[in-house]
Amino acid sequence: MEVQFSNSTFSFNLQIDKFDIPTEAIYPVFFIGVFMYVFSVLSNGTILALIVTQRSLHKPMFYIFFSLPLTDLVGITCSLPRLLVDIITQTNNIYYPTCVLQAFLLHLYGTSVLLSMTAMAFDRYIAICKPLRYNSIMTPLTVGCIIGIVWGLATALILVLFALQARLPKCKTFIANVYCSNNTLLKLACGGDSTVNNVYGLFITGFVQAISVSVQLLSYVQILITCIFHSQPDARIKAINTCLAQIITLCIFEIATTFTILSYRFENASPNAQKICGIMIFTFLPVVNPIVYGMKTRDIRNAFFVVLKKHKVTST
């Protein structure tokens, strides 16, 4: 990105790095991206609407799950439309506050996805391993506290991250990336000690990953043991299908994140490969999640078909 200051104020325009796309591939890439975005918005929006309107989904599990499609919409909306406009118009300008907002929301997306999946794993652990105590443990107050902790902790961690970044004066003129992030904004700094920023960035990455992976791993191991030795066949299949969707989502997110980190560690990786890996974190999961949960979660699937049947009856 090339930065141009507006007088002596802190407001300035950025020029975002672009994909090196052959001219003949611009429109195919654009239409594929549009299809992905429209599909993600419609499918995630449908799941959110089903949870809100269908009484069969008014359960603690789905109140907690509500955060996942919501964050998916935030992630893909903050990253893909802007990128598609830049690709089709061959322009790459963005206002600095808009860049900061995009970076903040993308970091919030990554943090809240992991914390939401952690909360979902805890809910499934209580439901499957302690079914007789589920209603007494997962009360409305408990569910509200869990949702509040997910969003409150994610917001607090990212607010501190960006507060540390904002204190550094900006003067550099180039960042190579197709979306804004804390790292790209930090590289605009000229002077000032960024050690605290780097340490804190590593801390929240390790902290969130450690909590998320450890809680989910312990929960699913206990669930697996319970399903093998104690559950009835029908209950076992339902539990495994529900947990399988969450495990697939976690694996996809971790694989995408790992590929992105590795792509920036290898010097021979092409710039386009690095950019694709980076944008994949915010676009691939929001497209795949609705498919995974729609196929593997029976309650969501049944609620969807109930709505379709009602629509057919009213239209005939």
Side-chain angles (χ1 to χ4, degrees), residues 148-170:
I149 290 172
V150 167
W151 285 100
L153 182 60
T155 303
L157 290 173
I158 303 306
L159 275 175
V160 173
L161 181 70
F162 277 76
L164 290 173
Q165 176 270 131
R167 69 190 172 87
L168 299 175
K170 310 295 191 299

Side-chain angles (χ1 to χ4, degrees), residues 81-283:
R82 173 84 210 182
L83 180 61
L84 294 177
V85 170
D86 289 344
I87 289 174
I88 199 67
T89 62
Q90 292 295 289
T91 58
N92 56 337
N93 298 314
I94 186 170
Y95 193 49
Y96 178 79
T98 306
C99 184
V100 173
L101 178 62
Q102 182 192 47
F104 177 84
L105 291 175
L106 290 179
H107 282 273
L108 181 64
Y109 161 78
T111 306
S112 58
V113 163
L114 285 173
L115 293 178
S116 295
M117 289 191 291
T118 304
M120 291 162 60
F122 174 75
D123 172 78
R124 290 299 83 201
Y125 164 74
I126 300 297
I128 296 169
C129 299
K130 302 179 184 296
L132 299 179
R133 298 180 57 198
Y134 182 77
N135 290 331
S136 63
I137 295 175
M138 300 303 290
T139 62
L141 178 60
T142 302
V143 173
C145 288
I146 290 174
I147 296 172
I149 290 172
V150 167
W151 285 100
L153 182 60
T155 303
L157 290 173
I158 303 306
L159 275 175
V160 173
L161 181 70
F162 277 76
L164 290 173
Q165 176 270 131
R167 69 190 172 87
L168 299 175
K170 310 295 191 299
C171 69
K172 294 185 181 178
T173 60
F174 184 79
I175 297 178
N177 215 331
V178 294
Y179 61 89
C180 298
S181 66
N182 177 69
N183 186 49
T184 59
L185 292 170
L186 192 59
K187 289 181 179 178
L188 294 176
C190 55
D193 188 1
S194 62
T195 303
V196 175
N197 301 68
N198 295 328
V199 171
Y200 182 74
L202 289 173
F203 163 74
I204 62 172
T205 301
F207 175 70
V208 174
Q209 285 280 358
I211 289 179
S212 178
V213 174
S214 60
V215 170
Q216 291 187 70
L217 183 62
L218 291 173
S219 296
Y220 294 134
V221 167
Q222 290 296 320
I223 288 170
L224 182 61
I225 294 172
T226 301
C227 288
I228 291 174
F229 294 107
H230 301 290
S231 297
Q232 297 297 323
D234 290 343
R236 184 183 307 158
I237 293 172
K238 182 179 180 180
I240 290 175
N241 280 336
T242 302
C243 296
L244 186 61
Q246 295 172 206
I247 293 171
I248 291 172
T249 297
L250 175 64
C251 290
I252 291 173
F253 185 85
E254 294 294 343
I255 290 171
T257 304
T258 301
F259 269 104
T260 301
I261 294 172
L262 291 177
S263 70
Y264 283 95
R265 293 296 181 268
F266 291 103
E267 295 181 358
N268 57 350
S270 70
N272 265 359
Q274 294 174 343
K275 296 167 190 172
I276 290 171
C277 287
I279 206 70
M280 185 172 64
I281 296 175
F282 312 111
T283 57

